[in-house]
Amino acid sequence: AVSKLAQAITTLGNLSSGGALTATSSDVNIGATVSGTGATAGTYTISDVTSLAWLSTATLTTGVDDPTATAVAPTDTNTLYLVAGESPITIALTSATNNLDGLEAAINSANAGVTASILTTTGGSYLTMTANQAGATTIQLLTDSADPTTDILTMNLPPGSLAQFEVNGLPATSTSNQVTGVIPGVTLSLGSATTSSDSATITVAANPQPITDALQSMASAYNALHTQIGTEFGSSAGPLNGNSVILSVQNLMQQFAFYQGTGGVQSLMDLGVSIDDTGTMSVDTTVVSAMSSGQVSSALSFLGNSTTGLASLASSFTAYSDTTSGILQQQITQDQASAQTLQNQIDAMNVRIADAQKTETAKVEAADSLLAQLQSQQSMLTATIQGLNYTLYGASLTSPTGTS
């Protein structure tokens, strides 16, 4: 329960990095979402999308019948030269690998910025190459490195290009149609090019719903921990009754619930959070939902992050709940060590008792054996006396009734 509350508080702190903002676009062909840190409320204009990001591709001009046997490089050199926007790279094959399969493997292992694959069609097998990054990349496969006319590939349409557009009238480019880094914390999705007169308005505005959701999750986690701690007090208290760790967690919960900040939002009460006479926390969701953008900003400032504001208390709860080095885990480890020590003492005492029992049993068995020997000796003496009586007197001196 402690760890769940720590996580819920951490979630509140994460909202300050854009989680309580939403981005909308006036153009269905240009989408916008808040996707990272640094997003702030504001309005932006995206216009003049003159091109989308495309990968350059090229395909072997002539197909081959057998990709495992038909030679693709001159058989006297077994060599081709790959151009991928830069100087030619030597692709050295052998007589055994001078075929489409061997060429595909050699190109992909060359790390030349393109990826090769083989298309199997009714007209034969064709090698095709795709640039790994968008842009106007020229892809050639030459039989003579000094002669561009020896290219055995055909560039495909559309040609490779960068996404090119304007943001607030300033030019920008991207190697992906999922554009990040142009508007802080916002991802743009470019779906098509636009005319010079078209533009999209991107609006980044406060969104109170994530705050409301996070507050409700926080209250649920708080109440679960409050209920669990309550079982350790009173006449039916559990085994942790009076434990200093439980009292410390309870004090930390009070510090959290009544945390005081500065600014427009100074407490959880300002966000619609209340605690009744039983210590149960509840959230009035209408309070945050009715907040203006400025009030939402104040709320986020109050919530803070891992080092400031209310959310900074998450680390204090984690100090108790960490399953490796947390205070609760240390207490569990100590209790387990104490229990093991007691068990070791019990085991040692049981061994001593067992040894003592063996010793006493041996003594009893020895006494029984001695008694048996004495009884046997008594019987022998009795028989001897009786034998002497017969010898001396011709009869036993002792009658069956005990008289002579």
Side-chain angles (χ1 to χ4, degrees):
V2 177
S3 62
K4 289 183 178 179
L5 179 56
Q7 181 56 52
I9 298 172
T10 298
T11 300
L12 282 171
N14 291 338
L15 295 177
S16 63
S17 61
L21 295 171
T22 186
T24 57
S25 172
S26 62
D27 190 331
V28 295
N29 293 314
I30 302 176
T33 57
V34 174
S35 57
T37 61
T40 57
T43 301
Y44 309 86
T45 300
I46 305 299
S47 60
D48 292 333
V49 183
T50 57
S51 65
L52 297 180
W54 290 101
L55 300 174
S56 295
T57 63
T59 303
L60 199 65
T61 303
T62 304
V64 300
D65 293 332
D66 187 347
T68 64
T70 304
V72 289
T75 54
D76 58 336
T77 62
N78 295 319
T79 302
L80 291 170
Y81 302 93
L82 172 63
V83 177
E86 298 181 356
S87 301
I89 297 173
T90 301
I91 303 297
L93 305 174
T94 66
S95 57
T97 61
N98 188 0
N99 52 60
L100 215 55
D101 285 350
L103 179 59
E104 176 192 28
I107 290 173
N108 288 336
S109 63
N111 296 319
V114 295
T115 300
S117 59
I118 296 175
L119 304 177
T120 302
T121 72
T122 56
S125 296
Y126 292 81
L127 184 81
T128 185
M129 281 186 280
T130 302
N132 294 340
Q133 192 173 50
T137 302
T138 298
I139 303 175
Q140 295 177 315
L141 197 57
L142 310 176
T143 58
D144 182 346
S145 61
D147 186 357
T149 63
T150 62
D151 185 16
I152 61 175
L153 300 178
T154 298
M155 291 291 293
N156 300 323
L157 296 176
S161 62
L162 295 174
Q164 301 186 55
F165 56 96
E166 290 186 356
V167 54
N168 289 353
L170 301 174
T173 62
S174 172
T175 59
S176 170
N177 294 320
Q178 300 298 311
V179 182
T180 59
V182 174
I183 301 175
V186 175
T187 296
L188 301 174
S189 300
L190 304 181
S192 67
T194 65
T195 64
S196 59
S197 60
D198 291 335
S199 64
T201 300
I202 307 299
T203 303
V204 181
N207 179 16
Q209 188 60 48
I211 299 179
T212 300
D213 294 341
L215 286 174
Q216 289 180 308
S217 297
M218 176 270 294
S220 296
Y222 180 95
N223 291 335
L225 180 56
H226 172 69
T227 300
Q228 187 174 21
I229 287 181
T231 62
E232 303 300 336
F233 294 92
S235 58
S236 59
L240 297 179
N241 182 24
N243 188 287
S244 61
V245 174
I246 297 300
L247 295 175
S248 296
V249 172
Q250 188 179 47
N251 290 334
L252 182 58
M253 292 177 67
Q254 293 176 349
Q255 179 184 351
F256 169 76
F258 299 101
Y259 178 85
Q260 288 293 311
T262 59
V265 174
Q266 299 183 1
S267 69
L268 283 172
M269 292 180 61
D270 294 338
L271 298 178
V273 177
S274 61
I275 297 179
D276 63 19
D277 293 339
T278 67
T280 300
M281 181 178 286
S282 60
V283 181
D284 181 357
T285 59
T286 62
V287 173
V288 173
S289 297
M291 283 184 169
S292 65
S293 294
Q295 290 172 322
V296 170
S297 295
S298 295
L300 293 175
S301 178
F302 167 76
L303 294 176
N305 50 46
S306 61
T307 58
T308 63
L310 179 71
S312 65
L313 293 178
S315 60
S316 298
F317 284 96
T318 301
Y320 284 92
S321 64
D322 189 280
T323 57
T324 302
S325 59
I327 296 173
L328 290 174
Q329 183 59 47
Q330 293 177 14
Q331 183 73 56
I332 292 172
T333 301
Q334 292 174 0
D335 291 344
Q336 289 175 337
S338 298
Q340 186 60 52
T341 299
L342 289 174
Q343 186 60 52
N344 292 341
Q345 293 174 349
I346 292 172
D347 292 343
M349 182 63 70
N350 287 335
V351 170
R352 289 197 293 271
I353 291 173
D355 290 342
Q357 287 177 333
K358 289 181 181 179
T359 300
E360 295 304 319
T361 299
K363 290 179 179 180
V364 171
E365 290 175 348
D368 289 342
S369 176
L370 179 59
L371 179 60
Q373 292 177 6
L374 291 175
Q375 289 175 340
S376 176
Q377 291 175 1
Q378 182 182 33
S379 297
M380 291 177 61
L381 288 174
T382 300
T384 301
I385 292 171
Q386 289 177 346
L388 289 174
N389 286 338
Y390 276 111
T391 301
L392 295 175
Y393 307 109
S396 172
L397 296 179
T398 304
S399 68
T401 60
T403 59
S404 56

Short mmCIF file of all heavy atoms in Angstrom, two decimals, residues 5-51:
data_model
loop_
_atom_site.label_atom_id
_atom_site.label_comp_id
_atom_site.label_asym_id
_atom_site.label_seq_id
_atom_site.Cartn_x
_atom_site.Cartn_y
_atom_site.Cartn_z
N LEU A 5 0.87 4.31 -3.00
CA LEU A 5 0.70 5.73 -2.76
C LEU A 5 1.89 6.51 -3.32
O LEU A 5 1.72 7.58 -3.92
CB LEU A 5 0.53 6.01 -1.27
CG LEU A 5 0.36 7.48 -0.88
CD1 LEU A 5 -0.82 8.10 -1.64
CD2 LEU A 5 0.16 7.63 0.62
N ALA A 6 3.10 5.97 -3.14
CA ALA A 6 4.30 6.62 -3.70
C ALA A 6 4.18 6.75 -5.21
O ALA A 6 4.51 7.80 -5.79
CB ALA A 6 5.55 5.83 -3.32
N GLN A 7 3.69 5.70 -5.88
CA GLN A 7 3.54 5.73 -7.33
C GLN A 7 2.46 6.74 -7.75
O GLN A 7 2.62 7.47 -8.74
CB GLN A 7 3.17 4.34 -7.86
CG GLN A 7 3.02 4.27 -9.37
CD GLN A 7 4.25 4.73 -10.11
OE1 GLN A 7 5.35 4.26 -9.84
NE2 GLN A 7 4.10 5.66 -11.03
N ALA A 8 1.37 6.81 -6.98
CA ALA A 8 0.30 7.75 -7.30
C ALA A 8 0.80 9.19 -7.17
O ALA A 8 0.45 10.06 -7.97
CB ALA A 8 -0.89 7.51 -6.38
N ILE A 9 1.63 9.46 -6.17
CA ILE A 9 2.19 10.80 -5.99
C ILE A 9 3.15 11.12 -7.12
O ILE A 9 3.19 12.25 -7.64
CB ILE A 9 2.89 10.92 -4.62
CG1 ILE A 9 1.89 10.69 -3.49
CG2 ILE A 9 3.55 12.28 -4.46
CD1 ILE A 9 2.52 10.58 -2.12
N THR A 10 3.95 10.13 -7.53
CA THR A 10 4.87 10.31 -8.65
C THR A 10 4.11 10.66 -9.92
O THR A 10 4.52 11.53 -10.71
CB THR A 10 5.70 9.05 -8.87
OG1 THR A 10 6.48 8.79 -7.70
CG2 THR A 10 6.64 9.20 -10.06
N THR A 11 2.97 10.01 -10.14
CA THR A 11 2.15 10.30 -11.31
C THR A 11 1.67 11.74 -11.30
O THR A 11 1.64 12.41 -12.34
CB THR A 11 0.94 9.34 -11.36
OG1 THR A 11 1.42 7.98 -11.45
CG2 THR A 11 0.06 9.64 -12.57
N LEU A 12 1.31 12.24 -10.13
CA LEU A 12 0.91 13.64 -10.01
C LEU A 12 2.06 14.56 -10.44
O LEU A 12 1.87 15.54 -11.16
CB LEU A 12 0.51 13.96 -8.57
CG LEU A 12 -0.88 13.50 -8.11
CD1 LEU A 12 -1.02 13.69 -6.61
CD2 LEU A 12 -1.98 14.28 -8.83
N GLY A 13 3.27 14.22 -10.00
CA GLY A 13 4.43 15.02 -10.34
C GLY A 13 4.77 14.99 -11.82
O GLY A 13 5.30 15.97 -12.37
N ASN A 14 4.46 13.88 -12.46
CA ASN A 14 4.77 13.76 -13.90
C ASN A 14 3.89 14.66 -14.76
O ASN A 14 4.22 14.94 -15.92
CB ASN A 14 4.62 12.30 -14.35
CG ASN A 14 5.70 11.40 -13.77
OD1 ASN A 14 6.76 11.87 -13.38
ND2 ASN A 14 5.42 10.11 -13.73
N LEU A 15 2.76 15.10 -14.21
CA LEU A 15 1.84 15.94 -14.99
C LEU A 15 2.47 17.28 -15.35
O LEU A 15 2.11 17.89 -16.36
CB LEU A 15 0.55 16.17 -14.20
CG LEU A 15 -0.30 14.93 -13.93
CD1 LEU A 15 -1.50 15.31 -13.08
CD2 LEU A 15 -0.77 14.30 -15.25
N SER A 16 3.42 17.73 -14.55
CA SER A 16 4.02 19.04 -14.81
C SER A 16 4.84 19.06 -16.09
O SER A 16 5.18 20.12 -16.60
CB SER A 16 4.89 19.47 -13.63
OG SER A 16 5.98 18.57 -13.46
N SER A 17 5.18 17.87 -16.62
CA SER A 17 5.98 17.81 -17.84
C SER A 17 5.11 17.62 -19.07
O SER A 17 5.48 16.94 -20.02
CB SER A 17 7.00 16.67 -17.74
OG SER A 17 6.35 15.42 -17.59
N GLY A 18 3.91 18.19 -19.05
CA GLY A 18 3.05 18.16 -20.23
C GLY A 18 1.86 17.26 -20.10
O GLY A 18 1.02 17.21 -21.00
N GLY A 19 1.75 16.53 -18.99
CA GLY A 19 0.65 15.59 -18.84
C GLY A 19 -0.71 16.24 -18.67
O GLY A 19 -1.73 15.60 -18.83
N ALA A 20 -0.74 17.54 -18.32
CA ALA A 20 -2.02 18.22 -18.14
C ALA A 20 -2.26 19.23 -19.25
O ALA A 20 -2.93 20.25 -19.06
CB ALA A 20 -2.06 18.92 -16.79
N LEU A 21 -1.66 18.98 -20.41
CA LEU A 21 -1.88 19.80 -21.59
C LEU A 21 -2.38 18.92 -22.73
O LEU A 21 -2.12 17.72 -22.77
CB LEU A 21 -0.58 20.49 -22.02
CG LEU A 21 0.03 21.52 -21.06
CD1 LEU A 21 1.41 21.93 -21.55
CD2 LEU A 21 -0.87 22.74 -20.94
N THR A 22 -3.11 19.51 -23.64
CA THR A 22 -3.56 18.78 -24.82
C THR A 22 -3.34 19.66 -26.05
O THR A 22 -3.39 20.90 -25.95
CB THR A 22 -5.06 18.41 -24.70
OG1 THR A 22 -5.43 17.59 -25.80
CG2 THR A 22 -5.93 19.65 -24.69
N ALA A 23 -3.04 19.03 -27.17
CA ALA A 23 -2.79 19.76 -28.40
C ALA A 23 -3.87 19.39 -29.43
O ALA A 23 -4.21 18.21 -29.59
CB ALA A 23 -1.41 19.42 -28.96
N THR A 24 -4.39 20.39 -30.10
CA THR A 24 -5.40 20.17 -31.15
C THR A 24 -4.97 20.91 -32.41
O THR A 24 -4.17 21.86 -32.36
CB THR A 24 -6.77 20.68 -30.71
OG1 THR A 24 -6.69 22.07 -30.37
CG2 THR A 24 -7.27 19.90 -29.49
N SER A 25 -5.48 20.44 -33.55
CA SER A 25 -5.15 21.05 -34.83
C SER A 25 -6.42 21.40 -35.59
O SER A 25 -7.42 20.67 -35.52
CB SER A 25 -4.30 20.08 -35.67
OG SER A 25 -4.12 20.57 -36.99
N SER A 26 -6.36 22.49 -36.32
CA SER A 26 -7.51 22.91 -37.12
C SER A 26 -7.57 22.20 -38.46
O SER A 26 -8.55 22.36 -39.20
CB SER A 26 -7.45 24.43 -37.34
OG SER A 26 -6.27 24.77 -38.09
N ASP A 27 -6.57 21.40 -38.79
CA ASP A 27 -6.48 20.71 -40.09
C ASP A 27 -6.36 19.22 -39.86
O ASP A 27 -5.45 18.76 -39.15
CB ASP A 27 -5.28 21.23 -40.88
CG ASP A 27 -5.25 20.74 -42.33
OD1 ASP A 27 -5.77 19.64 -42.59
OD2 ASP A 27 -4.69 21.45 -43.18
N VAL A 28 -7.27 18.45 -40.47
CA VAL A 28 -7.27 17.00 -40.25
C VAL A 28 -6.02 16.35 -40.83
O VAL A 28 -5.66 15.23 -40.45
CB VAL A 28 -8.52 16.36 -40.88
CG1 VAL A 28 -9.78 16.84 -40.16
CG2 VAL A 28 -8.60 16.64 -42.37
N ASN A 29 -5.34 17.01 -41.76
CA ASN A 29 -4.14 16.44 -42.37
C ASN A 29 -2.87 16.74 -41.59
O ASN A 29 -1.80 16.26 -41.93
CB ASN A 29 -3.98 16.97 -43.80
CG ASN A 29 -5.08 16.47 -44.73
OD1 ASN A 29 -5.40 15.28 -44.72
ND2 ASN A 29 -5.67 17.37 -45.50
N ILE A 30 -2.98 17.55 -40.56
CA ILE A 30 -1.84 17.86 -39.71
C ILE A 30 -2.27 17.65 -38.26
O ILE A 30 -2.99 18.48 -37.68
CB ILE A 30 -1.35 19.32 -39.91
CG1 ILE A 30 -0.97 19.54 -41.37
CG2 ILE A 30 -0.17 19.63 -38.99
CD1 ILE A 30 -0.55 20.98 -41.69
N GLY A 31 -1.87 16.53 -37.70
CA GLY A 31 -2.25 16.22 -36.33
C GLY A 31 -1.24 16.75 -35.33
O GLY A 31 -0.10 17.09 -35.69
N ALA A 32 -1.64 16.82 -34.09
CA ALA A 32 -0.75 17.30 -33.04
C ALA A 32 -1.11 16.63 -31.72
O ALA A 32 -2.30 16.51 -31.38
CB ALA A 32 -0.84 18.81 -32.90
N THR A 33 -0.10 16.16 -31.00
CA THR A 33 -0.30 15.55 -29.69
C THR A 33 0.81 16.01 -28.76
O THR A 33 1.95 16.22 -29.19
CB THR A 33 -0.28 14.01 -29.76
OG1 THR A 33 0.96 13.57 -30.34
CG2 THR A 33 -1.44 13.48 -30.58
N VAL A 34 0.48 16.14 -27.48
CA VAL A 34 1.50 16.41 -26.47
C VAL A 34 2.17 15.08 -26.14
O VAL A 34 1.51 14.13 -25.73
CB VAL A 34 0.88 17.04 -25.21
CG1 VAL A 34 1.94 17.19 -24.11
CG2 VAL A 34 0.27 18.40 -25.54
N SER A 35 3.47 15.02 -26.34
CA SER A 35 4.14 13.71 -26.23
C SER A 35 5.42 13.74 -25.42
O SER A 35 6.08 12.72 -25.30
CB SER A 35 4.48 13.20 -27.64
OG SER A 35 5.28 14.15 -28.33
N GLY A 36 5.78 14.87 -24.87
CA GLY A 36 7.04 14.90 -24.13
C GLY A 36 7.10 16.06 -23.18
O GLY A 36 6.12 16.77 -22.94
N THR A 37 8.28 16.24 -22.59
CA THR A 37 8.46 17.31 -21.63
C THR A 37 8.67 18.64 -22.35
O THR A 37 9.04 18.69 -23.52
CB THR A 37 9.69 17.02 -20.75
OG1 THR A 37 10.85 16.94 -21.59
CG2 THR A 37 9.51 15.72 -20.00
N GLY A 38 8.40 19.72 -21.62
CA GLY A 38 8.65 21.05 -22.16
C GLY A 38 7.48 21.70 -22.83
O GLY A 38 7.56 22.87 -23.24
N ALA A 39 6.37 20.99 -22.97
CA ALA A 39 5.21 21.59 -23.64
C ALA A 39 4.62 22.70 -22.77
O ALA A 39 4.53 22.57 -21.55
CB ALA A 39 4.15 20.53 -23.92
N THR A 40 4.23 23.78 -23.40
CA THR A 40 3.60 24.89 -22.70
C THR A 40 2.39 25.34 -23.51
O THR A 40 2.31 25.14 -24.72
CB THR A 40 4.56 26.09 -22.53
OG1 THR A 40 5.04 26.49 -23.82
CG2 THR A 40 5.74 25.71 -21.65
N ALA A 41 1.46 25.96 -22.82
CA ALA A 41 0.25 26.44 -23.50
C ALA A 41 0.63 27.51 -24.52
O ALA A 41 1.48 28.37 -24.27
CB ALA A 41 -0.73 26.99 -22.48
N GLY A 42 0.00 27.45 -25.69
CA GLY A 42 0.29 28.43 -26.73
C GLY A 42 -0.37 28.05 -28.04
O GLY A 42 -0.99 26.98 -28.16
N THR A 43 -0.24 28.92 -29.03
CA THR A 43 -0.81 28.69 -30.35
C THR A 43 0.28 28.80 -31.40
O THR A 43 1.12 29.72 -31.35
CB THR A 43 -1.92 29.71 -30.65
OG1 THR A 43 -2.94 29.60 -29.64
CG2 THR A 43 -2.54 29.46 -32.01
N TYR A 44 0.29 27.86 -32.36
CA TYR A 44 1.32 27.81 -33.39
C TYR A 44 0.64 27.61 -34.74
O TYR A 44 -0.43 26.99 -34.83
CB TYR A 44 2.30 26.66 -33.11
CG TYR A 44 2.85 26.66 -31.70
CD1 TYR A 44 2.16 26.02 -30.67
CD2 TYR A 44 4.05 27.28 -31.41
CE1 TYR A 44 2.65 26.03 -29.37
CE2 TYR A 44 4.56 27.28 -30.11
CZ TYR A 44 3.85 26.65 -29.10
OH TYR A 44 4.35 26.66 -27.82
N THR A 45 1.29 28.11 -35.78
CA THR A 45 0.77 27.97 -37.14
C THR A 45 1.72 27.13 -37.98
O THR A 45 2.91 27.42 -38.06
CB THR A 45 0.58 29.34 -37.81
OG1 THR A 45 -0.35 30.12 -37.04
CG2 THR A 45 0.03 29.18 -39.23
N ILE A 46 1.18 26.05 -38.58
CA ILE A 46 1.94 25.20 -39.49
C ILE A 46 1.43 25.47 -40.91
O ILE A 46 0.22 25.33 -41.18
CB ILE A 46 1.79 23.70 -39.15
CG1 ILE A 46 2.18 23.45 -37.69
CG2 ILE A 46 2.63 22.85 -40.09
CD1 ILE A 46 3.61 23.80 -37.36
N SER A 47 2.33 25.84 -41.80
CA SER A 47 1.91 26.18 -43.16
C SER A 47 2.97 25.73 -44.17
O SER A 47 4.06 25.28 -43.80
CB SER A 47 1.69 27.70 -43.27
OG SER A 47 2.90 28.39 -42.97
N ASP A 48 2.61 25.88 -45.44
CA ASP A 48 3.54 25.58 -46.54
C ASP A 48 4.23 24.23 -46.39
O ASP A 48 5.46 24.13 -46.43
CB ASP A 48 4.60 26.68 -46.66
CG ASP A 48 4.00 28.00 -47.13
OD1 ASP A 48 2.96 27.97 -47.82
OD2 ASP A 48 4.57 29.05 -46.78
N VAL A 49 3.42 23.18 -46.22
CA VAL A 49 3.98 21.82 -46.21
C VAL A 49 4.23 21.45 -47.67
O VAL A 49 3.35 20.92 -48.37
CB VAL A 49 3.03 20.81 -45.53
CG1 VAL A 49 3.68 19.43 -45.49
CG2 VAL A 49 2.65 21.29 -44.13
N THR A 50 5.42 21.77 -48.13
CA THR A 50 5.71 21.58 -49.56
C THR A 50 6.07 20.14 -49.90
O THR A 50 5.95 19.73 -51.06
CB THR A 50 6.86 22.50 -49.99
OG1 THR A 50 8.01 22.24 -49.15
CG2 THR A 50 6.46 23.96 -49.84
N SER A 51 6.52 19.37 -48.92
CA SER A 51 6.82 17.96 -49.19
C SER A 51 6.76 17.18 -47.89
O SER A 51 6.96 17.73 -46.80
CB SER A 51 8.22 17.80 -49.81
OG SER A 51 9.23 18.22 -48.90
#
